[in-house]
Each structure stands twice: as C-alpha cells, then as structure tokens.
C-alpha cells in the first residue's frame, strides 16, 4: 500500500530535549516536505527536499533541521524544542518526474507534538 | 504567507444538500488543488485543476477555476454525513514548485 509513515504520532516532551520525528515513504517520490498545522494559520511549510541530499527552507524553518540521506526518509529534527513548536506536524511526498507542479501530495497521518 | 483563502470558514448543511466552498488567491498559478482533512488526520488529495482548465469533475465533486478573478470553487453535490471534514485549497504559483495552502473551510453535514 502506498503510504507516508510518520513516527511518533503523539509526543509530549520538555523544553530543550532534542527530538526527531521520522518520515518514510514507499512510493519512490523525489519530493518530500514537512508542514506544521496550527489553528487559524493553516498549513505552513517548514522544510522541503527535491531529492537526496537536496533540502531547502520553507516558510517557517527556524528551530528545525532536516536531512535527506536516503530517498525514502526525511526526518525532522528539533534540536532544542520550545513551547511555540507545539503543533501538529505533517510529512508529505510527491513525484517530480515529468516536470514541476506534477500534482498531488501524499500526506502522513500527522505527529502531534506538545512541548512543555 | 498564505496564498489561498477559503470562504466560508465554516459551513453547516443537511445531508442531501449541496456544499459550495470558495477559494481566492493572489498571484498567477500553474494549478490549484483541493484537499480534504478529517479531524486531526492527514490531508487527502481530492482534485487538481490546471490554469488552462475551467471546470473539472470527479464523482460528486465539481471544481471551477476563474483565473481572471483568481478564484476557484468546490461543489460537493448530495452531501453525506461522511463528507464532514475540513477542505483546503492549495495553489502552485507560476514558475515555482511550491504548494501553498489556504486556511480551510470546515464542513459539517448533519444526518
């Protein structure tokens, strides 16, 4: 089954304790992205990756890091989480073959993070 | 910054009625997409309409695009309780590869 898998789905942590949210897709997609969703603000892009070893900042990258060492994985790292990073996080992927803007994003089920 | 803005923010209807949601955007686009999100779950792609298309259908969904007014609408016909969800439009700006989401319309369909 084609899917994007995120872990953990729920996490409560404390300020300053490094954490990683993993994301894996089995569709051989080149493009992967992280979003955060907050009430009234919609989805905002944190980082994205066009392919292995190629990453770039989205709209709200501060406080986050990413890496893309393998095509299927795109982990999101919070080196020193703060309460304003409490949010619902989504990983998404899509193909890029055939040119840009080729269509639908496939989303993971989300990771709800609370930073105390 | 948000590209698309949905209207209304919330919509409540009875089963069997049609639901119409609108999306306005600010810049020229390559395509516009609609997504659905059940409460707290991942978004699911519904339909994509390209800038050179004016209308597209998929099952009970009908999407229109008016590039002169920079707006799109999503019509769900004969709504069902299972259609209860948030609906987001997302645009891909011309000459970019970036998908930008609006803030969504919350649809409640009562049985």
């Amino acid at each position: 089954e084609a899917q994007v898998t995120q872990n953990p789905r729920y996490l409560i942590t404390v300020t300053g304790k490094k954490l990683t949210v993993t994301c894996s897709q089995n569709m051989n997609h080149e493009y992967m992205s992280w979003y955060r969703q907050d009430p009234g603000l919609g989805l905002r892009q944190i980082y994205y990756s066009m392919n292995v070893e190629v990453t770039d900042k989205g709209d709200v990258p501060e406080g986050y890091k990413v890496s893309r060492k393998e095509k299927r994985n795109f982990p999101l790292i919070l080196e020193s989480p703060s309460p304003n990073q409490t949010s619902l996080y989504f990983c998404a992927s899509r193909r890029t073959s055939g040119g840009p803007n080729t269509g639908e994003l496939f989303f993971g089920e989300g990771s709800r993070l609370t930073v105390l | 910054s948000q590209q698309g803005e949905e209207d209304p923010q919330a919509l409540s209807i009875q089963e069997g009625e049609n639901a119409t949601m609108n999306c306005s955007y600010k810049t020229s686009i390559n395509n516009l997409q609609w997504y659905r999100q059940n409460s707290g779950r991942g978004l699911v792609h519904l339909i994509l309409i390209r800038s050179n298309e004016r209308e597209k259908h998929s099952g009970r969904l009908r999407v229109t695009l008016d590039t002169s007014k920079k707006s799109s609408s999503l019509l769900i016909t004969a709504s069902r309780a299972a259609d209860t969800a948030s609906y987001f439009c997302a645009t891909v700006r011309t000459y970019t590869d970036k998908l930008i989401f609006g803030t969504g319309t919350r649809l409640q369909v009562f049985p």
Side-chain angles (χ1 to χ4, degrees), chain B residues 33-80:
Chain B
Q33 304 175 31
W34 285 91
Y35 288 79
R36 166 196 168 121
Q37 182 183 32
N38 287 2
S39 181
R41 305 289 297 275
L43 281 74
V44 175
H45 182 265
L46 295 176
I47 198 164
L48 179 153
I49 185 164
R50 301 193 186 283
S51 59
N52 60 354
E53 297 175 311
R54 292 297 167 257
E55 187 171 313
K56 207 160 181 181
H57 297 256
S58 176
R60 292 184 296 112
L61 305 181
R62 173 180 168 247
V63 169
T64 61
L65 179 64
D66 187 334
T67 52
S68 67
K69 294 181 179 178
K70 292 186 169 59
S71 67
S72 173
S73 67
L74 170 67
L75 169 68
I76 304 174
T77 59
S79 296
R80 306 166 181 167

Side-chain angles (χ1 to χ4, degrees), chain B:
Chain B
S1 62
Q2 299 302 323
Q3 163 79 317
E5 292 192 8
E6 287 90 339
D7 170 56
Q9 289 189 330
L11 179 62
S12 295
I13 59 174
Q14 296 290 133
E15 256 189 338
E17 294 179 339
N18 295 341
T20 299
M21 289 159 268
N22 303 298
C23 171
S24 60
Y25 57 91
K26 298 173 184 172
T27 66
S28 63
I29 61 171
N30 274 313
N31 67 64
L32 184 145
Q33 304 175 31
W34 285 91
Y35 288 79
R36 166 196 168 121
Q37 182 183 32
N38 287 2
S39 181
R41 305 289 297 275
L43 281 74
V44 175
H45 182 265
L46 295 176
I47 198 164
L48 179 153
I49 185 164
R50 301 193 186 283
S51 59
N52 60 354
E53 297 175 311
R54 292 297 167 257
E55 187 171 313
K56 207 160 181 181
H57 297 256
S58 176
R60 292 184 296 112
L61 305 181
R62 173 180 168 247
V63 169
T64 61
L65 179 64
D66 187 334
T67 52
S68 67
K69 294 181 179 178
K70 292 186 169 59
S71 67
S72 173
S73 67
L74 170 67
L75 169 68
I76 304 174
T77 59
S79 296
R80 306 166 181 167
D83 294 327
T84 294
S86 290
Y87 293 82
F88 294 86
C89 71
T91 53
V92 179
R93 292 181 188 172
T94 309
Y95 306 121
T96 77
D97 203 33
K98 187 169 183 173
L99 194 63
I100 300 177
F101 288 84
T103 52
T105 292
R106 292 188 311 278
L107 173 66
Q108 174 85 50
V109 181
F110 291 98

Side-chain angles (χ1 to χ4, degrees), chain A residues 6 9 23 35 38 52 55 61 78 93 97:
Chain A
Q6 297 179 226
R9 294 287 314 280
C23 174
Y35 295 87
D38 302 288
V52 176
T55 63
L78 287 73
S93 72
S97 55

